[in-house]
Amino acid sequence: MGRYLLPMISVLFSTWSAVGDPAGSAHVDGAPPSKIAVVGAGIGGSATAHFLRQHFGPEVQVDVFEKGEVGGRLATVTVNHHDYESGGSIIHSLNLHMQEFVKVLGLKYRRSVAGKTAVFNGEEVILEETDWYLLDLFRLWWRYGISFIRLQMWVEEIMEKFMRIYKYQAHGYAFSSVEQLLESLGGSGFINMTRRPLSDSLLELGVSQRFIDEVIAPVMRVNYGQNVSIPAFVGAVSLAGAQNNLWAVEGGNKLVCSGLLKMANANLHQAQVSSISPIYSGEALQYRLSFTTSAGPRSEMYDIVVLATPLQASVQSGVEFQDFTPPFDELAGSYHSTVATIVHGYLNTSVFGFPDPRLFPFASILTTDTPHLFFNSVASVCPVNISAGFRRKQPQEAGIYKVFSPQPLDKSQLKTLFRSYYSVQVTEWQAYPRYGSSLGLPPVELHPNLYYLNGIEWAGSAMEMSSVAAKNIALLAYHRWNRQTDMVDQSDLMHRIKTEL
Ligand SMILES: Cc1cc2nc3c(=O)[nH]c(=O)nc-3n(C[C@H](O)[C@H](O)[C@H](O)COP(=O)(O)OP(=O)(O)OC[C@H]3O[C@@H](n4cnc5c(N)ncnc54)[C@H](O)[C@@H]3O)c2cc1C
Ligand SMILES: *[C@@H]1O[C@H](CO)[C@@H](O)[C@H](O)[C@H]1NC(C)=O
Ligand SMILES: *[C@@H]1O[C@H](CO)[C@@H](O)[C@H](O)[C@H]1NC(C)=O
Ligand SMILES: *[C@@H]1O[C@H](CO)[C@@H](O)[C@H](O)[C@H]1NC(C)=O
Ligand SMILES: *[C@@H]1O[C@H](CO)[C@@H](O)[C@H](O)[C@H]1NC(C)=O
């Protein structure tokens, strides 16, 4: 279905200016906002700055605060003069915001270099990809019966509904909460999917327990470091990402962030925001942001503020909410830590039952949910710039591998997985929410003109999810400022859009 949707959606993108006309950004009772702050320059914050500029026009000052590196969880590490993605790495072909960013920024797609995947259960390889697509299909069929087809149809149906968001956003519609957004795309079914375990949804669908254990669990482990008890919605996002049509950005995904900030003409402050407080003068409400730069502490006033970083305690954003009535409580839940270890060395293929590395045919190994296993996945990785003559290293040669694990690997674990190595680089991420089914979804509107982007990660954490949330918040901020209530939380949008066209 995606192929048919694409041309139509790019037409919608280019007609956006009708809705986002900057001349329309005057406040109905007065002036447009003069200053907007965005806290965080990951893909969420950078995309927010871009969309804010689109909707509010050239006059407004957009300040973006970043305490670390632009890109946030999109980052690279350098090994032997080449860069490798250490955080978010793959993008689905139907991730239309990411695609549009790459296009308007003049960036290039990085081609993928073929490589086979296998599933390891701690003792042996139990599932392997072959060269021959039909044989793989046949094997999946033989091993798991109808499960495989049912699953594919389920994921496709969810994707198809999810893609309605691009039409709604192109027509300028915004949502005041993640629940409202999901409801408009997939009704109560989508909201329910954020609350029930993936395994329950799949079993109900008729997917076999064996398929869940041997295929679904390994995909959840590599993508979210968690098991099949994670909510069905994020599970579906993750399974969509396990399909074939994937890409990445040449030079590194984080180039999208720096590119968007530049295009938005945003002022980037290398500073940690330490507190935010509401300041009332008569009817007017502004926010004071206190922040620390290398030159010392400062503060500034803003009309609109977007927080584009997780606010759960475990992420340690360091932002304090002062003088809010009622007091603003810290958000419940925590983030899951995932360690990305990039190793330059010789893989010990014996671990997987292949004493002779020359006979080891796999580029990546996923794992089943096995208690004593210390890693979630191991994969040979390609640099962010691939030259024409690039080929993957053979397993008997020294290569670059990425290992995901819940804890840092100790020396003996490294020495088990690698016969020997030249270098090891470790990135410990507060990677994505630690999903549970009872936490609910965090709010988008924290206070008038104060927005929170990362709640969407509790429905699903991915670059595109943050981009969708960024567009939504820019639209929401614009409509709230202009008191356009008919553009927020509207029901029956599919029907409305048809009649608008
Ligand atoms: C190992 C790993 C693999 C992943 N793989 C994929 C994948 O293949 N595909 C995919 O789509 N997604 C993937 N993801 C998820 C994806 O990377 C994230 O969902 C996305 O990058 C989140 O972007 P964000 O801008 O919302 O948040 P972040 O990238 O976390 O940005 C928040 C920014 O705010 C800054 N900040 C925080 N507090 C303050 C403060 N007080 N003052 C100033 N700045 C502050 C932080 O330094 C950070 O740069 C992966 C994530 C990880 C960790
Ligand atoms: C979602 O859950 C609610 C409450 O449990 C239920 O009433 C509704 O029918 C469910 N929706 C779907 C589509 O399953
Ligand atoms: C998944 O992990 C959670 C938290 O670690 C645990 O409570 C749950 O029992 C696990 N579920 C399965 C199916 O293993
Ligand atoms: C990598 O790719 C980016 C984007 O195309 C380009 O700007 C950069 O110069 C390239 N770097 C190398 C070393 O080729
Ligand atoms: C490689 O893995 C095998 C099997 O787990 C193990 O016996 C061996 O010690 C490991 N290390 C080397 C250097 O072969």
Side-chain angles (χ1 to χ4, degrees):
M1 59 96 196
R3 222 163 274 155
Y4 303 104
L5 271 176
L6 284 177
M8 181 166 76
I9 281 164
S10 53
V11 169
L12 289 175
F13 267 116
S14 56
T15 57
W16 164 255
S17 52
V19 185
D21 181 3
S25 68
H27 199 289
V28 281
D29 0 308
S34 59
K35 286 170 71 190
I36 307 181
V38 178
V39 180
I43 186 64
S46 313
T48 302
H50 163 68
F51 290 128
L52 286 168
R53 174 65 70 212
Q54 239 180 26
H55 302 316
F56 284 93
E59 298 303 327
V60 64
Q61 177 179 332
V62 178
D63 287 359
V64 176
F65 293 87
E66 174 53 60
K67 69 172 179 180
E69 303 285 322
V70 168
R73 276 173 275 168
L74 307 184
T76 54
V77 300
T78 306
V79 185
N80 250 355
H81 314 294
H82 287 290
D83 293 345
Y84 299 84
E85 297 286 356
S86 59
S89 54
I90 53 173
I91 304 170
H92 192 274
S93 63
L94 297 178
N95 286 176
L96 299 191
H97 283 312
M98 287 302 291
Q99 237 177 61
E100 179 74 5
F101 298 156
V102 166
K103 199 170 103 195
V104 298
L105 293 172
L107 293 168
K108 292 198 202 105
Y109 288 57
R110 166 156 65 96
R111 70 191 174 91
S112 56
V113 179
K116 291 177 196 143
T117 302
V119 176
F120 177 62
N121 72 358
E123 278 166 15
E124 56 177 350
V125 164
I126 54 163
L127 193 64
E128 54 187 272
E129 227 182 321
T130 65
D131 277 326
W132 192 35
Y133 177 69
L134 282 178
L135 181 62
D136 286 338
L137 273 187
F138 178 77
R139 285 188 182 181
L140 282 169
W141 183 272
W142 176 77
R143 203 173 163 100
Y144 306 110
I146 198 87
S147 281
F148 175 65
I149 309 286
R150 286 217 175 106
L151 178 75
Q152 233 178 354
M153 286 170 61
W154 184 72
V155 172
E156 259 172 43
E157 192 186 318
I158 292 163
M159 284 288 285
E160 195 171 317
K161 286 183 179 162
F162 183 78
M163 290 193 65
R164 293 173 178 169
I165 191 64
Y166 300 112
K167 282 195 221 170
Y168 298 170
Q169 294 191 330
H171 283 261
Y173 291 104
F175 304 94
S176 66
S177 67
V178 179
E179 284 91 344
Q180 288 277 355
L181 186 150
L182 292 178
E183 162 106 58
S184 83
L185 299 176
S188 64
F190 266 19
I191 297 186
N192 292 1
M193 283 177 68
T194 66
R195 296 181 183 150
R196 68 190 301 221
L198 174 65
S199 49
D200 286 8
S201 290
L202 294 183
L203 287 170
E204 192 181 280
L205 206 67
V207 173
S208 69
Q209 186 65 49
R210 188 174 185 189
F211 191 81
I212 293 174
D213 294 341
E214 298 185 354
V215 180
I216 307 293
V219 172
M220 296 311 128
R221 281 166 66 79
V222 67
N223 284 343
Y224 289 111
Q226 292 164 73
N227 66 26
V228 294
S229 297
I230 70 173
F233 194 83
V234 61
V237 167
S238 174
L239 289 167
Q243 292 172 331
N244 266 331
N245 31 4
L246 306 170
W247 57 281
V249 180
E250 185 178 294
N253 295 329
K254 66 181 181 185
L255 293 182
V256 172
C257 304
S258 48
L260 288 175
L261 290 178
K262 210 167 166 194
M263 190 167 71
N265 199 15
N267 306 311
L268 176 63
H269 297 273
Q270 274 296 332
Q272 166 151 9
V273 173
S274 53
S275 73
I276 174 163
S277 41
I279 307 288
Y280 295 90
S281 57
E283 284 285 282
L285 163 65
Q286 285 188 307
Y287 292 95
R288 177 185 293 129
L289 240 59
S290 300
F291 53 93
T292 313
T293 67
S294 54
R298 272 176 57 193
S299 71
E300 289 273 347
M301 302 287 280
Y302 293 94
D303 299 312
I304 299 174
V305 177
V306 179
L307 300 171
T309 181
L311 294 176
Q312 279 74 16
S314 70
V315 183
Q316 299 184 325
S317 76
V319 181
E320 269 187 52
F321 291 82
Q322 286 172 354
D323 309 328
F324 283 82
T325 36
F328 180 74
D329 289 328
E330 208 156 59
L331 292 173
S334 65
Y335 269 57
H336 184 86
S337 55
T338 285
V339 182
T341 306
I342 303 225
V343 180
H344 180 197
Y346 295 88
L347 188 66
N348 180 7
T349 55
S350 296
V351 171
F352 308 105
F354 291 78
D356 183 350
R358 285 166 303 179
L359 302 178
F360 184 77
F362 309 115
S364 53
I365 300 278
L366 310 185
T367 59
T368 56
D369 207 347
T370 306
H372 61 271
L373 215 53
F374 60 87
F375 60 93
N376 293 343
S377 61
V378 189
S380 139
V381 288
C382 300
V384 297
N385 290 49
I386 295 181
S387 60
F390 179 85
R391 63 170 184 84
R392 266 184 207 281
K393 287 279 191 293
Q394 299 297 308
Q396 66 272 23
E397 302 172 286
I400 312 291
Y401 294 90
K402 175 152 69 182
V403 184
F404 281 141
S405 58
Q407 261 95 46
L409 302 177
D410 64 30
K411 205 146 202 151
S412 82
Q413 292 168 335
L414 276 168
K415 290 206 151 145
T416 304
L417 263 184
F418 295 92
R419 284 185 285 138
S420 66
Y421 48 83
Y422 299 112
S423 70
V424 176
Q425 300 195 49
V426 180
T427 314
E428 286 184 50
W429 293 110
Q430 288 291 304
Y432 11 66
R434 181 181 294 276
Y435 292 105
S437 42
S438 57
L439 281 165
L441 302 167
V444 172
E445 295 188 286
L446 300 180
H447 204 245
N449 301 326
L450 173 60
Y451 302 96
Y452 176 51
L453 182 129
N454 292 76
I456 200 153
E457 290 191 70
W458 292 80
S461 177
M463 294 173 232
E464 187 71 7
M465 296 298 281
S466 286
S467 308
V468 162
K471 176 80 175 179
N472 183 57
I473 284 179
L475 284 167
L476 184 62
Y478 180 81
H479 297 320
R480 290 291 194 226
W481 189 268
N482 295 301
R483 314 254 159 107
Q484 288 170 340
T485 51
D486 59 331
M487 295 304 286
V488 179
D489 294 340
Q490 297 299 298
S491 55
D492 200 20
L493 280 182
M494 281 308 269
H495 177 73
R496 266 168 197 264
I497 283 172
K498 273 195 198 112
T499 53
E500 268 175 33
L501 275 174

